[in-house]
Amino acid sequence: MNDFAVLNTGRKMPLLGLGTWKSEPGKVKQAVIWALDAGYRHIDCAAIYGNEAEIGEALQETLGPGKALRREDVFITSKLWNNRHHPEDVEPALLKTLKDLKLEYLDLYLVHWPYAFQQGDAPFPKKEDGTLLYDDIDYKLTWASMEKLVEKGLVRSIGLSNFNSRQIDDVLSVSSIKPTVLQVESHPYLAQGELLAHCRARGLVMTAYSPLGSPDRAWKHPEEPVLLQELVMSTLGEKYKKSPAQIILRWQTQRGVVTIPKSVTESRIKENIQVFDFTLEAEEMQSIEALNRGWRYIVPMIQVEGERVPRDAGHPHYPFNDPY
């Protein structure tokens, strides 16, 4: 796999990686081994996914002296969870992730969300009525602790996830070590064109999660459109002898967007990386972009008096109240 983005540190980040959100323990180790066998050189992880220890087993078996791959051959990302935003909690959270992944350093460590939950060991701290306990700590304080991880050599670069354009600029205004990456939901229904341009202008690479519209979500709405069933995908798929998923992944990587499709199925893992042997024409890229409808799949929702509402929208640092 020779297609990569170049970070503002000069390091290369493979344009296609394996996503591991919702990959069940018991399946994710094999998925990582299949991915590395198939030529993936980028694995996207997070503490909150609850499967880093198992991913670590796969990495231990495949990376290092006398193994199939060298550690430096594979780009590994993880993320700081919302209950660890206080400055003193950032390094211990990373060290736990490194221990679980059986690594000495990460290539990239992201602040998973701009808003924090109450400090402590509970990943989703709740009041007695079941509502979440938040913390209003400023993510700029969290960022200062992220920078120390780079200085200590524990992470090669640091970045943001689910931050909006204003919040990115807020971090940039105080940072001595700039964020390298913004990871957000993106697919043809949520093309994120403005945010991508915003990142490019500031030297950030954009990574797309749920690039196929996250068809396995728990909170799917029965009437919502299905991205993989769009006519433009099947038409282009026939032309290029590719699947609808491969057409979408090609569209993202061709825009220079790093893309991390999740799968635990060997055939799909192999299929998802076979996107560097064809090129979409400019008007074909535009026909996919034309599907954009600002449709965000990944918003944690709760039921309030029978209505489905965004769980975290009342938090001062909630990112999705801004246009982008």
Side-chain angles (χ1 to χ4, degrees), residues 138 264 271:
D138 191 326
V264 291
E271 177 189 298

Side-chain angles (χ1 to χ4, degrees), residues 14-31:
L15 278 172
L16 207 111
L18 180 74
T20 60
W21 179 42
K22 304 191 300 307
S23 298
E24 309 84 341
K27 293 185 178 173
V28 74
K29 177 183 176 182
Q30 185 61 66

Side-chain angles (χ1 to χ4, degrees), residues 37 41 61-64 66-70 73:
D37 281 351
R41 295 295 177 263
E61 288 179 21
T62 46
L63 301 187
K67 311 276 174 60
L69 292 164
R70 299 174 306 169
D73 294 334

Side-chain angles (χ1 to χ4, degrees), residues 47-48 81-84 117-118 120-126 132-133:
I48 196 62
W81 187 240
N82 307 355
N83 60 334
R84 302 292 189 217
F117 295 162
Q118 186 180 61
D121 289 333
F124 291 96
K126 292 190 169 92
L132 276 165
L133 288 159

Side-chain angles (χ1 to χ4, degrees), residues 83-103:
N83 60 334
R84 302 292 189 217
H85 278 215
H86 280 257
E88 66 273 19
D89 295 334
V90 173
E91 186 176 325
L94 169 71
L95 292 173
K96 169 75 165 69
T97 277
L98 288 175
K99 182 169 175 259
D100 285 347
L101 291 172
K102 301 178 171 58
L103 297 175

